[in-house]
Amino acid sequence: MSVPSSAATAPVVVKIVISGGFGVGKTTFVSAISEIEPLLTEADMTEVSRGVDDVHAVAGKTTTTVALDFGRIHLDTSLMLYLFGTPGQDRFSFLWDDLVDGALGAVVLVDTRRIEDSYPAVDYFEDLGMPFLLAVNPFDGAPRFAIPEVREALGVGPEVPIAECDARSRGAVKGTLVTLMEQVLSRRLRAMAEHAGA
């Protein structure tokens, strides 16, 4: 029985989560790489959010993600990524479990002006045991730190890749996603080898 050519060449679909604190660039990251018009659940920030959302480092921010961001990108003909951006505010964290369900890995964006805002996402993915990497988004005027300093500040081991990634740059975002997929594949191959040797 012959297999239709379209089925034989259909890409593998992988779910990836883009996470991090409030205003760290998740929507920008998804929008920079998505080959389709991204689905964004942006809402205007209102007076009600004053004192709740810390906007001191992102004073020009006028909207916020209230549910998720969604985009899609083919890394090559054999691999398609579905990107799900999480909301950054604590009050929307109840959505994370649903957004992360079925994901193979995560990108945690880091703003060095507010590095402590990355702790909840780092803790979340460490607790899940999900592969993730840290992507330092170099905001204009933000202090620059060497990778070992970022690693120490966030308390992550050498198994967690850290890279600089300008969330506005399609090339930088693609490179970050490729690095994450390499980490996911390496981890899976290692687990298979350990299982075969058991």
Side-chain angles (χ1 to χ4, degrees):
M1 182 170 129
S2 63
V3 178
S5 59
S6 60
T9 59
V12 173
V13 177
V14 174
K15 180 178 181 180
I16 298 297
V17 174
I18 314 303
S19 194
F22 170 70
V24 78
K26 299 177 295 294
T27 299
T28 302
F29 184 103
V30 172
S31 298
I33 195 71
S34 182
E35 63 194 11
I36 61 170
E37 184 69 27
L39 169 65
L40 308 175
T41 58
E42 292 283 293
D44 290 334
M45 294 181 66
T46 66
E47 289 296 317
V48 176
S49 68
R50 288 193 186 278
V52 177
D53 297 325
D54 182 4
V55 296
H56 80 277
V58 286
K61 188 168 175 63
T62 60
T63 63
T64 186
T65 300
V66 295
L68 72 130
D69 298 319
F70 173 78
R72 184 189 76 197
I73 177 66
H74 283 83
L75 280 188
D76 58 32
T77 57
S78 65
L79 183 63
M80 181 166 59
L81 305 184
Y82 284 170
L83 307 176
F84 287 80
T86 65
Q89 302 95 318
D90 288 342
R91 66 183 182 277
F92 296 127
S93 62
F94 66 92
L95 296 169
W96 282 31
D97 289 342
D98 288 334
L99 292 175
V100 169
D101 186 37
L104 290 188
V107 172
V108 176
L109 285 165
V110 177
D111 180 350
T112 57
R113 299 169 299 178
R114 302 170 294 136
I115 204 157
E116 66 281 356
D117 290 356
S118 302
Y119 295 155
V122 168
D123 291 345
Y124 182 86
F125 292 110
E126 282 182 337
D127 289 347
L128 276 183
M130 178 180 289
F132 69 97
L133 64 74
L134 299 174
V136 179
N137 193 3
F139 285 88
D140 295 338
R144 297 292 195 264
F145 298 100
I147 295 301
E149 292 177 293
V150 175
R151 186 177 301 285
E152 182 178 354
L154 288 169
V156 295
E159 73 283 357
V160 178
I162 304 177
E164 189 169 286
C165 174
D166 186 334
R168 301 167 296 187
S169 165
R170 182 178 176 83
V173 169
K174 185 171 184 178
T176 297
L177 292 171
V178 167
T179 300
L180 175 64
M181 292 312 300
E182 289 171 348
Q183 181 200 16
V184 169
L185 181 58
S186 172
R187 191 164 168 175
R188 291 204 164 210
L189 291 173
R190 193 165 53 247
M192 288 170 59
E194 289 171 0
H195 180 72

